[in-house]
Each structure stands twice: as C-alpha cells, then as structure tokens.
C-alpha cells in the first residue's frame, strides 16, 4: 500500500476513527479539554507520519491506538493531573454491609462505586485494568506512591468482590 | 483480565462520552480530508462536477478577483536574516535604525490631540429567531483567563497580585445563571441569592448573583465587519523563552541559549499571529504594526480578500526580536492606521489587537499616560484587546489599560491552545455588545459590599454596580462561560427586601432598563438558589485569598528589594509565608467539599494549585520570628468515675 492509498484509507475511516479515539482518550485522561487537545495532536501527528503505518501489522485503528496510548502516558507524566485515591466511606459502607435489595442487583453497587470516582481516578482504573499498566508505571505517571496505589485498588477490589467474585482474580493481580 | 469488571464499566463510560462534532469537522478541514466516505461518492461524481462548476461560476461572478489573482503581498517590513541585530535575539541590542520603511519622525508625528474622531461603528446583528438554537449569554470585559497566574505557579515563580482577577477566573468556568424564563431583551439579568459561611472567618455572608443572559441565538450571532490592526511586540524581551523571565530577581537579563531553549515568546507570538490571520474574514480589513524602540507599519490596512495570506504568514514567520519596548509608539501607529484608512466612515468596527509581554521601557510608559491613549481610543470607537505572552507578562499594566470600554485581555500559553481558543471564541472576544451596565440596589436592609467577576469593581460604590462592557459568551447545557457577576451584600438593617434597577446601552447607543425584586426572607445560612452562585462564591473566595497572599508576599519582598524603574518584571521564587500555609490548608478542605457539591471537575485545577502551595516549605514571617505552630488538637481525657 503506497502513501496515497494509506491516505485514502485514512480519509475513508476518519469519521469512525475520530469518534473511537475521542472516546478512548477522553476516558483515559478524565479531562475533556485536555482530551480534545490530545486527540487533535494524535491525528495531526499520525497523518503526517502515515508513511510509517504498516498495514500488515494491523488496522489503522490499532496503529492509532498505539500512538494514542503513548501520548496519553506522556501527557500524564507531563501534567500530573490531580488523582484522588479516595473511595467515599458511604459507598464503601454499602459494599461491606450490603442491603438485601443491593444484593439482588450487585451490578448497581459496582456501578455506584465506579461512578462515585472522579474522572481522573476512573482514568486511572482504565489504565490499570484495560491497558494493563503496572503500579510502578502508574506511580511514575501520577506521582502517587506505589503502596498508596495498591491500597486504593485493594479497596476497590474488596468493594467489587460482591458482584464479580466468580470471575475475579484479585489475589493474583494485586 | 479480559473478563474483569472494569472492561464493561469503562466501555460504558466510553459510550457515554459525547463526541465533539465541531472538533471533528475542524480537524478534518485542517488535515484537508473529507469526512465523506469516498466509495459512496463515486456514483455522484458527475453530479458533483456539474454542481461544482455551477458554484464556481456563481462565485466568480460575485467575486471577480477571486479566481484571477491570489491577493497582494503588501508586506513592508524588511527582515534580513543575516542581519546581526536581528539574529542577536538574546542580547536585545537597541537598534533604532533597524526599520527602513518609515522615518522615525513619522512614528511620533501625530500628536495625541490631533486624533480624529472615528464614528459610525457597525454593530453585531442579533436577530431573534424562532429556530431552536443555543442562546448566548454575556461575560464581562477585562481579563479572559488567569493563565499568567497559572503559568507562574507551574514554573515555580511568585505571581503578581494582578495576575489573579475575579473576572479572569470566572471566565475559566461556566455558570448556571439561574435564568428561569425566556429572555426578550438584549440583556436579561437573572438573580440568585445565598447566605454562605466563610470557611476562614466563620462569618455568615450575604450574596446576590447577577446572571448575564441575552436573547441572542448562537446561530443568529454575526460579528460585524471589522478593521483589525494587530500591533506586535518585537522587542528584546520577546527573545526570552516562554517559561523564563527576561530579568532575574535582581534586574539582570537572563541569558537564554537561543533556539535550543524552550520556545521563545517571539516564536509563540508569530505563531499566534499566524493563527489569528486564519480567523479574519474576506470582508474584514487587516493591518500589522511592529514595535520595539519605535513602531513601523509592516502591513498596511487592506481588505483581507485582497491580501495574499500565504505570503503574509511567511513574512510573519520570519520576524525576530530586537530593541527596547515602546508600547505607546505601537498604540499611536496602530491608531493612526485606523484613522487614515480607506473607506472612511463605512460602518466597520475597529479593533487594535496587541500581542505583547507588556514590559514597556521607552516612550510613554507611565500607566496613566498609556491608559490615556487607551481611553482616547475607546472614546473614538477603537476597541483594544491585549494578548499577553510569557510568564513575565506585565498584568499590572494591562489590567490598568483594559479598564476602558470595549477592552479585554487574555494570555497565550501555547500556539495550539491559542489556535483552539481562537476557533471557539475569536468572534466573541472582539465583539462588545452591551455598554455601561448599571445596577442600582434599592434597599434599606442591604448595601453593596464588594463586586466579584467584573474588572470595573472600582466604579461601583454605595448601592451602584457598574460594568463597562459585556461580550457575548457561549452557553452550553444551561451554563454560560463567565456568565456571572457576584455581589457581596452588607446587611444594614432587618429588612429582607431589595429592588434591583438595571440600565445599559446597546452598540447603537440605545438605552434600556428593567427592574426586579428579591427578598432574603426565610433564607437560611448555607442555602444557595442554584449551583451557579455557589460556584461564584467559592471561586471569589479563592481568588480573594490568593490576592491577599500575593499582596502579602510582595509587600514583604518590596521591603528588601528595590523594584525596577519600569514595567520590566523580575522573577521571584514561589513562596508561601505563614499564616497562608495554614489558611491554604483550611481553604483546601472547603474547596474539596464545594467541588463535590458543585460537580465541576474543572475546579480540580484549583485543588492542584493549593496542593502545590501547601506542599512548599513555609517561609519565616517578617522579622524572622518563629513560624506559628498550629493549635494542638484538644484531648478528650474524661474518665468515668
């Protein structure tokens, strides 16, 4: 595939790629304005470096995701967004001592815990459990100490065990 | 790990993200790619070709010049890349003969009292529409951010108290204005009440917010045709890198190692000017004046559609810094260009846009003298915008200069960010729509104590609030960017009622008025009519605390240090003396609670600043006394007998 063909492919897929990447970056940064800047940068960079794209190794989407992931990590290191490692006690309380109605629908509890996290903290969760970053990498990005990060994820696990105990590999991943 | 619960939750989070379609289109245009899928276009190529042909013919009939010439390259400023004076950016050597096109006498020839009157300024066209579209609100003039404060903190420098402005901080946020019904006039204020306990003093404070609403639909807003004259600072101080001071703490120049250092202010300025060129329209006029020791016309005022913009951007990119900073010469030359323009009284609006670090040291550089020039321009219908560059941007001077009708300023941190901001706000930033807003509080129970969110607080006294200018501002999800002015009330008697009489002037000189009533009866401490006033209160308290801290620090420093004779700003390391360490700690807890209540994650940036300030080692108070120790926590040692 020559450069013109790659450009044509990029043009054809632009709309879908933009929407995918916008969502991907927004959730992993937790900050809309920063995400918009970064998405613009990623598209401009990738379009100017389109010659480097090797179709044999994967789709454009995969290639862009790789670039985006790198840019996200660099952004975190550069900007050090404020990340709260607190899970509010009332949410934790309901996890430890579930009301019978909550036991009926533990999915709601999981969602409640997740939705109580600030955007930057949700982003941290995405980076840990979707992007598989290590605690050391997260510590490098956020400036938080590894033990503090471990404690945060441990609390999160305990709270979520109710819903996901069967599929959960918590002890090995901590 | 693929089956872990977070995949599901994060996928759902992604699906809830609302994609910014405008950004998508802007980016597509920038990359010059079509968002249409090409496979779907093939069957229609014949029709598309025919349609395009019709459009080209129609366009060429309407604009006969557009297809046969690419516009005039009317750049007059000679940049010699090999000229030692131009290359010597670090030293900022004074070189008064550098400018070749016009003699020095021309620059200063026009006496202030010979300034001709410019009238017939055109007005924006707000046409009320029945079409469903987002309505705009308003924001006040003055500062449009506190970027310079943030940059100084980020880079470990002590900001100036004037780097923090209430209106600048408010414009960083959007506010629920409390608008309850459709607005039928150009300006429809809405009011909200609150009684809030101050986290530091513990006193209960009465507040009234004025929501800045309009009847203008975003889709109906049209910026008037405008004569833009950009006045670009190319003085030696523009050679320093963006995140460093040109002068160190003792007034010595900082040696900047040229291109290998971070991007210079000059680069940022020229890139920003190139970005600005993209936002003028074919029927605007654009002129460019450069100033250092003196001022010169680099590009005469000309219709944009007759100008070769590609060449213009190339010329801008070749500019380098040199010489001193004669800002008054820049103002005078820019004003002269607008006065002597072709077309005379043709209904165009007029705006001077300064891109500068605002450190004048030559010509007229007294605040009153420069303010006088700005004031005279405002009276003639020449509005001014300042775009400040660098951590050493002199906000103290520009704050004074923009206390005139129709003026505002913002700071530039990075070219991409500036481009983005221009894309979103350029038309709003250059289009004043309401003048001389006055609010008269008639009450035997309350008086105005303080105004937050307006640069014109000094004009307010007794029971009158005065705001010189309102600019249109974007409203999204019922919240208007900077759309609030907050009034702190002083209770004078047990009489809960007040009448609010508002008057203002539109751009055609028409006078308007309206009246409303509010009552604080049965309002409890800790109650807020809406989250907009709550956000306004916490932000104004935050800004007030920062200003007190900075004034305190600067007061201590000025005792030990002789300030420089002009506006050149010296660097001072970031420091926090007691009692502000403990005040910041207390305020941080309050801010955290308020952020949780208000649900505006953007406010986390203020938490981050307080975190940084609290983490600094405390500085000994004046006189070298011991640092006050926080009061120990009382012990509960009660023992049951």
């Amino acid at each position: 595939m020559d450069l013109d063909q790659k450009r044509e492919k990029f043009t054809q897929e632009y709309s879908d790629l933009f929407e995918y990447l916008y969502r991907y970056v927004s959730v992993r940064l937790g900050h809309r304005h920063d995400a918009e800047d970064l998405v613009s940068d990623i598209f401009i960079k990738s379009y100017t470096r389109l010659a480097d794209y090797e179709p044999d190794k994967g789709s454009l989407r995969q290639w862009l995701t790789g670039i985006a992931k790198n840019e996200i990590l660099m952004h975190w290191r550069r900007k050090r967004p404020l990340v709260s490692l607190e899970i509010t006690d009332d949410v934790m309380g309901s996890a430890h001592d579930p009301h019978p109605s909550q036991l009926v629908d533990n999915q709601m509890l999981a969602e409640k815990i997740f939705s109580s996290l600030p955007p930057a903290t949700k982003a941290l969760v995405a980076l840990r459990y979707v992007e598989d970053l290590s605690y050391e990498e997260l510590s490098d990005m956020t400036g938080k100490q590894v033990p503090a990060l471990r404690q945060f994820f441990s609390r999160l696990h305990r709270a979520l065990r109710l819903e996901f105990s069967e599929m959960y590999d918590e002890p090995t991943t901590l | 790990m693929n089956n872990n619960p977070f995949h599901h939750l994060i996928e759902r989070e992604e699906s809830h993200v609302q994609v910014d379609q405008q950004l998508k289109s802007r980016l597509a245009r920038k990359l010059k790619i079509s968002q249409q899928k090409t496979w779907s276009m093939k069957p229609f190529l014949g029709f598309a070709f025919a349609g395009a042909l019709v459009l080209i013919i129609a366009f060429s009939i309407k604009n006969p010049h557009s297809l046969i010439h690419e516009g005039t390259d009317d750049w007059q400023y000679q940049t010699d890349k090999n000229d030692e004076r131009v290359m010597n950016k670090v030293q900022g050597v004074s070189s008064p003969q550098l400018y070749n096109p016009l003699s020095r006498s021309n620059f200063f020839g026009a006496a202030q009292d010979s300034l001709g009157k410019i009238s017939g300024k055109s007005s924006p066209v707000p046409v009320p529409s029945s079409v469903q579209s987002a309505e705009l609100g308003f924001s006040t003039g003055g500062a449009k951010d506190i970027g310079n404060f943030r940059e100084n903190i980020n880079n470990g420098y002590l900001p100036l108290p004037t780097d923090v402005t209430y209106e600048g901080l408010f414009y960083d946020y959007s506010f629920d204005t409390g608008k309850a019904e459709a607005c039928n006039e150009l300006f429809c204020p809405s009011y909200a009440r609150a009684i809030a306990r101050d986290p530091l003093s513990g006193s209960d404070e009465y507040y009234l917010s004025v929501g800045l609403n309009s009847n203008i639909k975003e889709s109906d807003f049209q910026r008037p045709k405008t004569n833009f004259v950009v006045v670009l600072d190319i003085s030696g101080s523009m050679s320093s890198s963006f995140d460093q001071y040109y002068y160190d703490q003792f007034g010595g120049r900082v040696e900047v190692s040229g291109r290998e250092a971070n991007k210079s202010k000059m680069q940022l300025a020229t890139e920003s000017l190139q970005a600005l060129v993209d936002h003028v329209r074919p029927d605007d006029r654009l002129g460019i004046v450069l100033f250092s020791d003196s001022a010169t016309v680099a590009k005469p005022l000309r219709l944009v559609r007759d100008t070769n913009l590609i060449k213009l951007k190339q010329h801008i990119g070749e500019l380098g810094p040199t010489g001193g900073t004669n800002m008054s010469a820049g103002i005078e030359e820019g004003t002269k260009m607008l006065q002597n323009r072709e077309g005379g009284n043709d209904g165009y609006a007029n705006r001077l846009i300064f891109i500068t670090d605002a450190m004048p040291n030559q010509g007229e550089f007294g605040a009153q003298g420069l303010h006088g020039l700005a004031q005279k321009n405002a009276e003639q219908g020449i509005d001014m915008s300042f775009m400040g560059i660098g951590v050493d941007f002199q906000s103290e001077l520009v704050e004074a200069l923009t206390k005139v009708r129709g003026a505002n300023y913002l700071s530039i941190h990075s070219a991409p960010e500036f481009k983005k901001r221009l894309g979103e706000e350029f038309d709003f930033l250059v289009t004043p729509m309401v003048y001389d807003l006055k609010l008269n509080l008639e009450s035997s129970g309350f008086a105005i104590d303080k105004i937050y969110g307006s640069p014109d607080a000094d004009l307010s006294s007794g029971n009158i609030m005065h705001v010189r200018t309102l600019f249109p501002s974007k409203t999204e999800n019922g919240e208007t960017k900077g759309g609030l002015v907050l009034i702190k009330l002083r209770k004078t008697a047990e009489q809960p009622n007040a009448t609010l009489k508002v008057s203002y002037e539109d751009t055609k000189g028409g006078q308007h008025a309206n009246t409303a009533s509010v009552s604080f009866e049965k309002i409890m401490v800790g109650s807020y009519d809406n989250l907009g006033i709550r956000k306004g209160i916490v932000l104004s308290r935050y800004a007030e605390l920062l200003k007190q801290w900075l004034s305190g620090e600067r007061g201590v420093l000025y005792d030990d240090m002789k300030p420089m004779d002009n506006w050149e700003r010296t660097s001072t390391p970031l420091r926090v003396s007691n009692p502000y360490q403990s005040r910041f700690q207390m305020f941080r807890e309050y801010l955290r609670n308020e952020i949780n209540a208000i649900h505006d994650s953007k406010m986390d940036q203020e938490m981050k600043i307080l975190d940084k300030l609290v983490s600094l080692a405390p500085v000994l108070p004046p006189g070298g006394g011991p640092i006050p120790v926080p009061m120990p926590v009382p012990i509960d040692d009660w023992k049951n007998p």
Side-chain angles (χ1 to χ4, degrees), chain A residues 136-151:
Chain A
E136 286 70 25
E137 286 171 305
L138 294 181
S139 171
D140 182 37
M141 286 163 49
T142 60
K144 302 277 183 192
Q145 298 293 317
V146 169
L149 288 163
R150 280 184 187 279
Q151 191 185 21

Side-chain angles (χ1 to χ4, degrees), chain B residues 120-406:
Chain B
K121 191 172 133 182
S122 72
S123 305
V125 189
V127 187
S129 164
S130 57
V131 178
Q132 283 298 313
S133 164
E135 277 183 353
L136 295 175
F138 288 118
S139 65
T140 62
K144 305 308 277 186
D145 55 52
I146 57 163
N148 188 256
F149 166 81
R150 297 190 195 286
E151 286 301 331
N152 270 275
I153 296 280
N154 283 344
N155 290 289
Y157 298 119
L158 187 69
L160 291 175
T162 46
D163 291 345
V164 184
T165 59
Y166 298 106
E167 77 274 11
L169 181 63
F170 277 24
Y171 197 69
D172 272 346
Y173 293 93
S174 293
F175 296 87
D176 172 5
T177 61
K179 181 182 171 190
E181 53 198 36
C183 176
N184 296 319
E185 293 185 42
L186 173 64
F187 173 57
C188 310
S190 52
Y191 303 99
R193 307 151 303 168
I195 306 177
R197 185 155 295 168
D198 184 277
L200 300 180
S201 70
S203 58
D204 296 334
E205 296 173 337
Y206 290 74
Y207 289 94
L208 182 71
S209 70
V210 183
L212 308 176
N213 311 305
S214 85
N215 67 341
I216 309 163
K217 298 267 192 290
E218 193 174 349
S219 56
D220 293 330
F221 171 78
Q222 286 181 308
R223 171 172 68 72
K225 290 186 278 191
T226 304
N227 297 312
F228 289 107
V229 173
V230 179
V231 184
L232 178 66
D233 184 347
I234 57 165
S235 63
S237 60
M238 295 290 281
S239 65
S240 62
S241 69
F242 169 76
D243 57 359
Q244 289 185 17
Y245 275 68
Y246 187 54
Y247 290 89
D248 66 16
Q249 190 174 354
F250 306 102
R253 280 179 191 162
V254 174
E255 296 296 323
V256 179
S257 50
R259 292 186 184 282
E260 70 275 12
N262 290 330
K263 192 172 273 189
S264 76
K265 287 190 278 184
M266 191 71 225
Q267 283 173 283
L268 199 54
T270 52
E271 287 174 18
S272 301
L273 176 51
Q274 287 167 333
L276 201 147
V277 167
D278 286 334
H279 289 277
V280 290
R281 295 183 187 145
D283 51 2
D284 291 326
R285 294 193 190 92
L286 176 67
I288 296 175
V289 167
L290 308 175
F291 73 96
S292 57
D293 297 305
S294 54
T296 187
V297 174
K299 182 205 173 310
L301 193 66
R302 183 185 297 278
L303 274 171
V304 171
R305 66 165 169 264
D306 294 338
T307 302
N308 186 326
L309 296 180
I310 295 169
K311 289 275 186 197
L312 176 61
K313 285 188 184 179
Q314 284 174 2
H315 294 309
I316 293 168
E318 288 164 1
L319 290 170
T322 183
T325 313
N326 190 336
M327 188 184 266
S328 60
I331 296 178
E332 286 170 353
E333 193 62 38
T335 303
K336 206 159 69 177
M337 187 184 274
L338 284 170
Q339 288 171 330
N340 299 337
R341 73 190 188 282
E342 288 176 13
N345 185 4
D346 54 7
Y348 272 55
N350 300 286
R351 184 162 288 268
L352 284 178
I353 298 179
F354 276 77
I355 302 180
T356 178
D357 58 9
M359 295 199 285
N361 54 14
Q362 291 184 18
E364 170 61 78
F365 59 83
Q368 284 193 333
L370 287 169
H371 182 266
L373 291 175
Q375 182 68 42
K376 193 156 258 182
N377 275 345
E379 287 163 8
Q380 297 179 97
I382 298 177
D383 294 328
M384 297 173 77
S385 291
F386 286 81
M387 301 186 175
I389 290 194
V391 287
D392 48 0
F393 168 61
Q394 234 313 345
S395 61
E396 203 173 349
L397 173 63
V398 170
E399 198 204 14
L401 286 183
T402 49
K403 281 187 185 298
V404 297
R405 188 173 147 130

Side-chain angles (χ1 to χ4, degrees), chain B residues 541-554:
Chain B
R541 284 173 170 169
Y542 171 65
E544 194 158 45
L545 179 61
L546 292 175
K547 286 172 92 66
Q548 286 169 355
W549 158 59
L550 291 169
S551 299
E553 298 291 357
R554 290 278 168 186

Side-chain angles (χ1 to χ4, degrees), chain A residues 14-15 19 28 79-80, chain B residues 3 14 24 38 420 608:
Chain A
Y14 171 76
S15 181
E19 301 211 354
R28 282 153 187 79
K79 287 204 128 184
R80 290 278 169 91
Chain B
N3 60 355
E14 285 177 355
K24 184 176 165 183
T38 51
K420 181 168 175 259
K608 207 170 163 184

Side-chain angles (χ1 to χ4, degrees), chain A residues 19-32:
Chain A
E19 301 211 354
Y20 158 72
L21 214 67
Y22 188 95
R23 293 193 164 98
Y24 179 90
V25 174
S26 297
V27 169
R28 282 153 187 79
L29 284 193
H31 190 284
R32 191 166 67 91

